[in-house]
Amino acid sequence: MKKFLLAGLCFCCLFAFTGCQKSVEALVKENMSEITNSYYWVENNDFSVSVSVGSRENPYLIDGIHHAIVDFSLIIFKDKTFTLKDKEIKCNVYVNDQISEVKLEYNPISYAYMVDLGFAINEKDSVVFEYEGQKESLKLISNDFQITSTKALEMSCQRFAELIERYTAGRVLRGECYLKVLGLKGDDNNLFWCFTFVGNDNKSFNLIISTKDGSVLASDF
């Protein structure tokens, strides 16, 4: 009888201990300071436009600390003529039949003009960008990705599992995570998922994954 009681007590203790632990994926998801789920693209002879849609922290601070999350649709406009010198430009954005005039500010680091619409465009929405009379319809090219944001996040958690565990104290991850789409062209041969972990010590680690086949193209860990 004592053996059964002892075995039962051990089982309960083991259950209580393991039940307090969080999986790497759960910790990462709780500390996503930015995640892109949808990606739009269009280009012509004069400019290219991309729109990353998802959720990210507000205020947006890459400091190893996770903050409250809000929806975003980040427009990035690149001048292919290299003639624009203004610090900001005005453009029109059509989401379905709703038109909005927006001001895009120049970012000298990326050599591009940017603005956040402040909400998440729905994947069923039609999106048109207009600049100086030129209207272009954006294509939701993330629909063509063989590796979705969900799959990219899963792969990142597996690859960085040991790293995440190093920065975990009890049930708390001492850092924040980002998942973005990076690239130069609007096709899956030149677009990549970039998963970044930033620790509370300000050390950062990156993982670059192909949107086409899921191959790991670069890793800091």
Side-chain angles (χ1 to χ4, degrees):
M1 185 66 179
K2 289 182 178 180
K3 290 183 179 180
F4 285 113
L5 289 174
L6 182 59
L9 181 60
C10 290
F11 176 79
C12 290
C13 290
L14 179 62
F15 178 80
F17 175 76
T18 56
C20 290
Q21 305 305 304
K22 288 186 179 179
S23 68
V24 168
E25 189 167 351
L27 287 166
V28 168
K29 287 181 177 180
E30 288 180 359
N31 292 275
M32 290 300 300
S33 290
E34 180 175 358
I35 182 167
T36 296
N37 294 311
S38 304
Y39 188 81
Y40 294 79
W41 172 272
V42 73
E43 68 176 330
N44 58 27
N45 292 331
D46 296 325
F47 60 79
S48 67
V49 180
S50 67
V51 183
S52 298
V53 182
S55 57
R56 64 180 182 179
E57 65 178 2
N58 183 33
Y60 190 74
L61 302 170
I62 304 176
D63 56 3
I65 302 173
H66 176 65
H67 300 280
I69 293 295
V70 297
D71 292 335
F72 78 93
S73 294
L74 180 65
I75 299 176
I76 299 179
F77 173 97
K78 291 193 175 183
D79 170 34
K80 296 169 70 174
T81 65
F82 301 102
T83 58
L84 292 180
K85 304 299 181 183
D86 300 323
K87 291 185 177 180
E88 66 176 31
I89 59 174
K90 292 182 179 180
C91 304
N92 290 326
V93 178
Y94 301 78
V95 179
N96 297 324
D97 296 326
Q98 185 69 37
I99 179 174
S100 300
E101 183 182 75
V102 295
K103 292 182 180 180
L104 288 78
E105 295 185 354
Y106 185 70
N107 185 324
I109 298 177
S110 60
Y111 302 103
Y113 292 87
M114 301 181 177
V115 68
D116 178 13
L117 296 180
F119 63 91
I121 296 173
N122 190 289
E123 290 188 350
K124 295 181 180 180
D125 293 337
S126 63
V127 184
V128 176
F129 186 88
E130 180 182 18
Y131 175 67
E132 292 192 338
Q134 295 189 69
K135 280 187 177 182
E136 299 290 347
S137 297
L138 282 84
K139 179 184 178 183
L140 181 59
I141 61 173
S142 54
N143 275 348
D144 299 328
F145 290 175
Q146 297 301 308
I147 305 299
T148 64
S149 60
T150 301
K151 182 61 177 178
L153 188 60
E154 178 186 327
M155 294 174 63
S156 301
C157 291
Q158 293 173 353
R159 180 84 179 202
F160 277 12
E162 183 181 341
L163 176 67
I164 298 300
E165 289 170 355
R166 287 185 188 178
Y167 279 86
T168 300
R171 297 166 61 87
V172 178
L173 177 59
R174 297 171 296 178
E176 58 181 342
C177 308
Y178 299 80
L179 183 65
K180 306 178 184 180
V181 175
L182 298 181
L184 300 174
K185 297 288 185 179
D187 61 74
D188 58 8
N189 288 316
N190 296 281
L191 291 172
F192 320 100
W193 289 111
C194 177
F195 177 83
T196 302
F197 173 76
V198 181
N200 61 347
D201 55 3
N202 287 321
K203 292 183 179 179
S204 62
F205 305 85
N206 299 282
L207 177 66
I208 308 299
I209 300 172
S210 167
T211 61
K212 187 175 182 179
D213 56 19
S215 57
V216 174
L217 304 174
S219 177
D220 287 339
F221 182 78

